[in-house]
């Protein structure tokens, strides 16, 4: 239906058309930045924001955009308009997800809490469902909700989840499963989120997140050799946080081990992605040893010199080299399992089967035959470094030191 103003005035119609075209370009720019995960405004002057920069870039081939930006009013580029357009785009995506979820026979809910850059606790909601016609598994992110109250957080999270279902017009009766981590406010027997949801829908069975369970198991399994991880974190900081030592490291690596990858920072929270970081230490063991020797020639700060001497001393011990080798062996299997469990098409039965295979592999490694093979490989690696690594020393009785061979 044509606007009455368009019927009465051709000049009004001619004015509306370019405005609509510019508004569509604004939509396209915001959609592009949102799809790339880029901030629209940033921390600096709004005139230097990504959004305005993209508009100016497109204005090179379309002078009308530059003319539009020079307008004093009615430009539709304010931060309020940008947020409103983002809300419109988000609503469109949610509507598409909702239409597919309504056609699914069942769905499950997955939620996790995280802290954003503003130090506010957010709850992430994900819906899991299977396409009835293609039997294809899907995982769809449907929103973030701020947990504003510390006390009674489980009630607020449960309320937020029910609000999401209400907004998507999805009945709780179609939800046979829920998945969270093992935090008490999520899985508490009396007042956890899982218990609160099951009070309304008893068939909504709770499943402890496989990835989180694996992370906890890895944490518990290698806690006896945690000092190897602490040392890896310390030496990675010494290399990565100093441009001078970083440049020396790159030079030494190009001379001693040109084909090996560089140092990788140790993940501070996830134990299941640390194998590559520890392996990078083994690949660059001689490079790091030479780095500490060369760094001590110019370091004048007493505290920094003590840190470097401490790292060099620890890397020269039999225990540390042994522990790093052992942890890499264990975490490599754990990391492979973690990557497999993250597949969106993996079924629960297949995930359990793969987990059992990993456990069987780790048990086999614990046998005398496999330990002998590992020890022979370890000695060969030790010989490559000559006298750089000391020999094994048995702990003295009663000194409280636990054997690394335990």
């Amino acid at each position: 239906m044509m606007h009455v103003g368009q019927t009465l005035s051709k000049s009004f119609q001619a004015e509306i058309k370019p405005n609509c075209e510019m508004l569509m370009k604004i939509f396209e720019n915001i959609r592009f930045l949102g799809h790339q995960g880029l901030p629209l405004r940033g921390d600096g002057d709004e005139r230097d924001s990504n959004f305005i920069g993209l508009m100016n870039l497109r204005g090179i081939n379309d002078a009308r955009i530059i003319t539009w930006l020079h307008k004093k009013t009615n430009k539709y580029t304010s931060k309020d308009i940008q947020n409103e357009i983002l809300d419109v785009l988000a609503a469109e995506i949610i509507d598409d997800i909702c239409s597919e979820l309504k056609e699914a026979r069942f769905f499950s809910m997955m939620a996790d809490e995280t802290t954003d850059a503003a130090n506010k606790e957010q709850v992430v909601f994900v819906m899991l469902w299977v396409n009835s016609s293609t039997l294809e598994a899907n995982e769809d992110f449907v929103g973030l909700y701020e947990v504003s109250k510390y006390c009674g957080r489980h009630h607020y999270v449960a309320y937020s989840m029910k609000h999401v279902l209400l907004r998507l017009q999805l009945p709780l009766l179609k939800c046979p499963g829920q998945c969270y981590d093992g935090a008490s406010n999520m899985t508490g027997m009396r007042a956890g989120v899982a218990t609160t949801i099951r009070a309304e829908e008893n068939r909504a069975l709770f499943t402890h997140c496989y990835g989180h369970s694996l992370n906890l198991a890895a944490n518990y399994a290698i806690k006896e050799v945690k000092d190897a991880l602490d040392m890896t974190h310390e030496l990675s900081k010494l290399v990565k946080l100093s441009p001078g030592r970083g440049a020396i490291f790159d030079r030494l690596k190009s001379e001693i081990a040109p084909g090996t990858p560089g140092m990788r920072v140790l993940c501070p929270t996830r134990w299941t992605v640390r194998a590559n970081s520890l392996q990078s230490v083994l690949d660059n063991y001689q490079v790091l040893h030479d780095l500490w020797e060369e760094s001590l020639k110019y370091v004048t700060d007493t505290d920094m010199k003590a840190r470097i001497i401490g790292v060099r001393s620890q890397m020269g011990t039999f225990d540390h080299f042994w522990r790093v080798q052992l942890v890499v062996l264990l975490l490599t299997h754990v990391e492979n399992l973690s990557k497999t469990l993250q597949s969106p098409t993996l079924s629960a039965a297949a995930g359990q089967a793969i987990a059992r295979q990993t456990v069987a592999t780790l048990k086999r490694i614990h046998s005398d035959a496999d330990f002998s093979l590992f020890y022979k490989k370890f000695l060969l690696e030790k010989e490559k470094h000559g006298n750089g690594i000391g020999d094994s020393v048995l702990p003295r009785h009663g000194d409280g030191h636990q054997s690394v061979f335990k």
Side-chain angles (χ1 to χ4, degrees):
M1 181 180 295
M2 186 172 291
H3 192 280
V4 63
Q6 295 174 332
T7 307
L8 298 176
S9 174
K10 291 184 178 180
S11 63
F12 184 72
Q13 182 178 358
E15 183 181 354
I16 286 180
K17 183 178 180 181
N19 290 350
C20 291
E21 292 177 352
M22 289 299 105
L23 183 60
M24 288 304 301
K25 293 184 182 297
I26 292 173
F27 263 87
E28 292 170 358
N29 289 352
I30 293 178
R31 183 178 62 181
F32 171 79
L33 293 172
H35 186 268
Q36 297 298 321
L38 299 174
L40 271 67
R41 294 182 291 275
D43 298 329
D45 194 331
E46 189 169 339
R47 292 172 296 181
D48 298 327
S49 65
N50 292 331
F51 172 72
I52 298 299
L54 185 57
M55 291 289 288
N56 288 322
L57 180 63
R58 298 188 66 183
I60 295 176
N61 299 320
D62 190 346
R64 296 178 304 166
I65 297 179
I66 303 299
T67 303
W68 180 270
L69 292 177
H70 287 162
K71 291 174 60 178
K72 292 185 179 180
T73 59
N74 300 326
K75 295 189 295 184
Y76 310 121
T77 58
S78 69
K79 61 180 182 180
D80 295 330
I81 296 296
Q82 292 176 26
N83 290 335
E84 187 173 348
I85 292 175
L86 283 174
D87 290 338
V88 171
L89 295 175
E92 183 72 18
I93 296 173
I94 292 296
D95 288 342
D96 292 340
I97 295 174
C98 185
S99 61
E100 295 177 333
L101 279 169
K102 289 180 179 179
E103 296 179 1
R105 186 175 179 183
F106 299 107
F107 62 85
S108 294
M109 299 182 296
M110 183 165 60
D112 193 14
E113 295 172 275
T114 185
T115 303
D116 62 12
N119 201 30
K120 295 181 180 179
E121 192 170 8
Q122 306 270 358
V123 181
V124 183
F125 291 111
V126 177
M127 308 298 291
L128 302 95
W129 57 283
V130 177
N131 189 295
S132 301
S133 57
T134 63
L135 299 180
E136 181 180 352
N138 296 272
E139 291 184 4
D140 291 316
F141 166 73
V142 295
L144 280 167
Y145 284 79
E146 181 183 347
V147 181
S148 57
K149 298 179 180 179
Y150 182 81
C151 297
R153 284 160 52 203
H154 55 279
H155 294 302
Y156 186 83
V157 173
Y159 167 79
S160 299
M161 297 183 70
K162 290 187 287 186
H163 176 70
V164 169
L165 295 179
L166 180 63
R167 184 164 58 89
L168 299 180
Q169 299 180 359
L170 297 173
L172 189 58
L173 294 175
K174 293 178 63 175
C175 178
Q178 44 183 330
C179 179
Y180 320 114
D181 59 20
S184 59
N185 64 305
M186 304 297 288
T187 62
M189 294 293 293
R190 296 184 177 181
V193 174
T195 304
T196 304
I197 296 297
R198 288 201 67 181
E200 298 190 26
E201 175 51 53
N202 189 51
R203 295 175 297 177
L205 299 179
F206 163 69
T207 300
H208 191 170
C209 172
Y210 286 175
H212 188 263
S213 299
L214 179 61
N215 193 66
L216 293 176
N219 183 6
Y220 179 79
I222 60 178
K223 66 179 181 179
E224 298 293 347
V225 290
K226 186 177 179 296
D227 56 341
L229 299 172
D230 295 337
M231 182 57 60
T232 301
H233 182 59
E234 172 67 10
L235 63 89
S236 64
K237 289 193 300 181
L238 289 174
V239 175
K240 291 292 185 180
L241 299 183
S242 171
R245 282 189 293 274
I248 297 175
F249 175 84
D250 293 337
R251 175 174 58 81
L252 292 174
K253 189 173 78 67
S254 63
E255 297 173 356
I256 301 175
T260 60
M263 288 293 300
R264 300 183 181 181
V265 179
L266 199 69
C267 179
T269 56
R270 296 176 59 194
W271 290 70
T272 54
V273 293
R274 297 181 174 184
N276 289 332
S277 299
L278 292 164
Q279 184 61 50
S280 68
V281 173
L282 296 177
D283 294 338
N284 296 282
Y285 219 83
Q286 187 61 45
V287 177
L288 291 170
H289 182 271
D290 293 351
L291 171 64
W292 310 139
E293 295 293 338
E294 189 163 338
S295 298
L296 289 174
K297 297 178 181 179
Y298 69 87
V299 173
T300 57
D301 182 74
T302 305
D303 293 337
M304 181 58 64
K305 182 175 291 187
R307 289 174 61 185
I308 294 176
I309 293 175
V311 169
R312 182 189 63 176
S313 176
Q314 284 296 318
M315 287 186 62
T317 63
F318 181 93
D319 283 5
H320 180 266
F321 193 64
W322 168 267
R323 288 170 177 172
V324 175
Q325 295 273 4
L326 181 61
V327 174
V328 168
L329 174 65
L330 297 177
L331 289 187
T332 298
H333 294 284
V334 173
E335 185 170 341
N336 292 335
L337 175 59
S338 177
K339 293 179 179 179
T340 304
L341 292 177
Q342 293 178 42
S343 172
T345 60
L346 185 71
S347 65
Q352 292 174 352
I354 295 173
R356 286 193 292 268
Q357 292 176 4
T358 303
V359 172
T361 301
L362 294 175
K363 287 183 177 179
R364 186 176 66 252
I365 293 176
H366 199 260
S367 64
D368 293 339
D370 280 59
F371 176 81
S372 298
L373 292 175
F374 170 75
Y375 189 63
K376 291 179 181 179
K377 179 182 176 181
F378 166 79
L379 293 178
L380 291 176
E381 293 294 328
K382 179 178 177 298
E383 290 177 2
K384 292 181 182 180
H385 301 283
N387 298 325
I389 300 175
D391 296 327
S392 61
V393 178
L394 292 176
R396 293 175 299 176
H397 178 70
D399 64 357
H401 180 72
Q402 293 182 337
S403 173
V404 298
F405 297 98
K406 182 180 179 180

